[in-house]
Amino acid sequence: MPCPGRKPAFYSHAPGRFDGDRIANRRRARYGELHSVASMNGGKVPERNQELAAQITDAGMTIPEVADAISERVQDLTGKEFDYTERSVRRLLCGATSWPHAPVRLALESLFETSAVDLGFTPRSGSSRTPSGGVTSAFDRPFLHEQEGSVRRRDLFDIAGGALFSIIVPSLPRRGRIGQSDLVRLRDPLTQLFTADDAAGGVALAQEAVWHADRLLEARKRYEMSVAVSDALHGLAGQYKAAAGWFAIDADDLTLAGQVLPEALKLAALAGDNLLTVQVWNYMAMRARQAGEGGEIHQISRTALRSTAARQHPRAAALFHCRAAYGRAWRGERRQALRSLQRAHDVLGNACDEDVPTWLGFVNRAQLFAQETLVHSLLGQWNEAVESAQSDLRLIPGAYHRNRVHGLIHLAKANLGARSPEIAADAATSAVHEISSLSGSLRAGRAAARLRKLRGRMETWRPVPEVARWLDFYDTSLSAA
């Protein structure tokens, strides 16, 4: 019996049984706790939680990041301070914790947006279950991923006729963390924008794409995210900026295109996205051609053809062989330009329809013939340009109104060069009819600008009756637009 006033032995600093326990605990913390868990589980060693490990890997998160995220979510849920340790996360991963406590379980479900069972956890006997037999889950509860309200809609107006179309804007979380699933939702407007572009051209879309890119970049300041999600966010913002550049080019707004495309290139570099980099280079080459900067096209195409993306994707290589051909033609290198065109056709022959990036889908035989028309025209080979333009128009699908407008304009210019103004007038008439399907029509956009330039060339052939009739027809159509 201890003496009165003396503390029991376990308060003593003298070596004893409790010091041995402390040493054992340190060893377990260092080497894991499987042995102790097995001893409490009839000698059965728990299995590693592969499902949770896969979710953490897919999210690009580290163990400290998971611990911090759980702590924050539990604090938001309970309103009390909570510190979930890295050691506790490791217990989840090694299977030592087979069914986390309710707040941690709800935090995990919110973080990875799936149920605890799907995360590899096994409910203990007596855990609450739904009437259907499934484990009660907080998945899809709005306590952390509560949205800014209902999905918003942004209305845009067609420049020509005032036609209204809408872009559905997914809302952002009110606070907390952005994950890969959020980025999947935030990509939806990009698809909607390209759908509108395919249908009627991109004249009214550039500023909208810039708005979505800026919204994503602003989110970096408000939300936490893993390194992988941060890279993906930069990539998605870069895609919006690249789209804005393309829409600006189609709207003949080369100033805006010149502003947003370098920004898109920086974002592609931050994301480490080689394919996006090549996509931006393509738009920069298009802008340079429209601005009459053939030397820049030559430099861009040479750089792009050395890229990993061009080696991996035959369509990308074919596209930049065409760009290189134009750059060489601008420099007066006829033989090298024709050789580059031949390489483009050869490389495209190796392309398959599987795993084609969306933005490269337009690179087909029709597109190559369209590029051929430009190169032959630049070289003054007008008869060859006419043949290429005719081949292009034969292969363009009927729904591709914008491509047909440009193809008809190319054919008209080539026929003027070949001194066939009557045929040129016929092609130009078809172009005016076709352009009515596009946003901006005769008053705005790249196609409208090309038609205005074509009108200037046709004016020199006014004595030809067919040309005179076309000039009157164009002027009347422009006035009515």
Side-chain angles (χ1 to χ4, degrees):
M1 182 174 179
C3 298
R6 271 186 84 179
K7 294 179 181 178
F10 61 83
Y11 282 102
S12 171
H13 293 290
R17 180 168 60 88
F18 291 97
D19 283 321
D21 288 345
R22 276 198 299 273
I23 293 170
N25 285 337
R26 290 172 186 164
R27 287 174 178 168
R28 291 189 190 106
R30 180 175 298 174
Y31 300 112
E33 298 177 330
L34 294 180
H35 176 73
S36 62
V37 174
S39 65
M40 293 184 293
N41 197 28
K44 183 180 178 181
V45 177
E47 296 182 358
R48 177 174 171 79
N49 190 329
Q50 301 290 352
E51 290 81 0
L52 179 61
Q55 288 282 354
I56 292 174
T57 300
D58 290 344
M61 299 179 71
T62 63
I63 287 178
E65 288 175 337
V66 174
D68 290 344
I70 292 174
S71 298
E72 291 174 4
R73 279 162 166 71
V74 173
Q75 287 181 52
D76 285 340
L77 178 63
T78 63
K80 299 178 182 178
E81 284 193 21
F82 186 81
D83 184 18
Y84 203 71
T85 65
E86 297 174 28
R87 177 185 174 189
S88 298
V89 176
R90 292 190 178 94
R91 283 179 59 87
L92 298 176
L93 287 168
C94 73
T97 301
S98 61
W99 189 245
H101 292 299
V104 174
R105 196 167 67 245
L106 298 178
L108 285 165
E109 290 177 337
S110 168
L111 178 60
F112 297 110
E113 298 189 342
T114 190
S115 69
V117 173
D118 290 337
L119 286 172
F121 297 110
T122 304
R124 296 185 294 270
S125 58
S127 296
S128 61
R129 294 177 176 271
T130 61
S132 62
V135 179
T136 302
S137 171
F139 179 49
D140 280 341
R141 281 191 185 182
F143 69 90
L144 280 173
H145 253 271
E146 189 171 321
Q147 305 298 316
E148 293 176 331
S150 58
V151 174
R152 290 182 292 165
R153 185 184 302 268
R154 284 171 63 86
D155 296 330
L156 304 175
F157 287 88
D158 178 288
I159 287 177
L164 174 69
F165 62 94
S166 299
I167 299 294
I168 306 300
V169 182
S171 51
L172 288 164
R174 284 184 175 174
R175 61 188 181 278
R177 191 179 192 90
I178 282 185
Q180 294 286 4
S181 59
D182 294 305
L183 295 185
V184 170
R185 292 186 302 103
L186 293 166
R187 183 182 298 275
D188 288 344
L190 186 63
T191 303
Q192 298 172 54
L193 288 169
F194 274 114
T195 299
D197 172 61
D198 289 341
V203 169
L205 304 179
Q207 292 293 348
E208 180 70 11
V210 170
W211 183 86
H212 284 277
D214 291 343
R215 183 179 185 231
L216 282 168
L217 296 175
E218 184 65 26
R220 292 180 304 180
K221 306 172 186 177
R222 296 173 51 196
Y223 301 96
E224 292 187 8
M225 61 194 74
S226 67
V227 174
V229 171
S230 177
D231 289 345
L233 184 145
H234 285 130
L236 182 55
Q239 290 177 44
Y240 274 110
K241 289 281 188 179
W246 158 241
F247 299 147
I249 291 168
D250 197 43
D252 202 34
D253 188 348
L254 302 187
T255 300
L256 177 59
Q259 292 170 354
V260 297
L261 289 176
E263 295 172 6
L265 202 57
K266 291 177 183 177
L267 290 166
L270 287 172
D273 191 333
N274 293 328
L275 199 56
L276 176 57
T277 299
V278 172
Q279 181 181 2
V280 176
W281 281 338
N282 177 52
Y283 294 153
M284 293 176 81
M286 293 183 68
R287 181 198 171 278
R289 188 187 72 204
Q290 211 158 314
E293 301 167 354
E296 185 174 349
I297 299 173
H298 180 69
Q299 294 299 326
I300 290 172
S301 59
R302 289 182 61 185
T303 303
L305 285 170
R306 293 195 299 267
S307 68
T308 301
R311 291 194 297 270
Q312 293 177 342
H313 298 279
R315 293 176 191 271
L319 176 62
F320 281 101
H321 277 303
C322 288
R323 302 293 185 219
Y326 188 92
R328 291 187 179 280
W330 185 85
R331 290 158 58 96
E333 300 171 353
R334 175 180 172 277
R335 292 177 60 185
Q336 294 92 327
L338 297 179
R339 191 182 303 125
S340 292
L341 286 178
Q342 186 57 52
R343 285 176 181 166
H345 282 282
D346 293 343
V347 171
L348 188 62
N350 298 326
C352 61
D353 292 334
E354 298 178 0
D355 300 326
V356 178
T358 303
W359 76 270
L360 278 174
F362 78 100
V363 182
N364 51 28
R365 290 293 175 192
Q367 183 62 213
L368 262 58
F369 283 122
Q371 299 301 316
E372 268 191 13
T373 305
L374 297 174
V375 172
H376 287 310
S377 297
L378 201 56
L379 292 172
Q381 298 175 327
W382 298 112
N383 291 330
E384 291 84 349
V386 169
E387 292 178 6
S388 296
Q390 290 172 340
S391 298
D392 172 30
L393 288 166
R394 280 196 297 269
L395 295 173
I396 295 174
Y400 283 46
H401 298 291
R402 175 172 50 202
N403 295 41
R404 291 194 64 80
V405 170
H406 291 296
L408 288 164
I409 294 172
H410 294 158
L411 180 60
K413 290 171 61 178
N415 274 292
L416 283 181
R419 305 187 69 81
S420 300
E422 301 88 352
I423 301 175
D426 184 61
T429 301
S430 298
V432 173
H433 287 302
E434 192 80 34
I435 202 174
S436 61
S437 303
L438 300 182
S439 174
S441 188
L442 285 170
R443 291 201 171 275
R446 182 171 52 133
R450 286 183 171 178
L451 268 176
R452 286 194 296 272
K453 291 179 181 178
L454 178 63
R455 191 207 180 285
R457 294 189 180 190
M458 295 280 273
E459 185 65 41
T460 62
W461 294 88
R462 183 178 281 276
V464 178
E466 291 84 353
V467 174
R469 283 195 293 272
W470 180 81
L471 290 168
D472 292 340
F473 168 65
Y474 172 81
D475 292 342
T476 301
S477 300
L478 182 62
S479 299

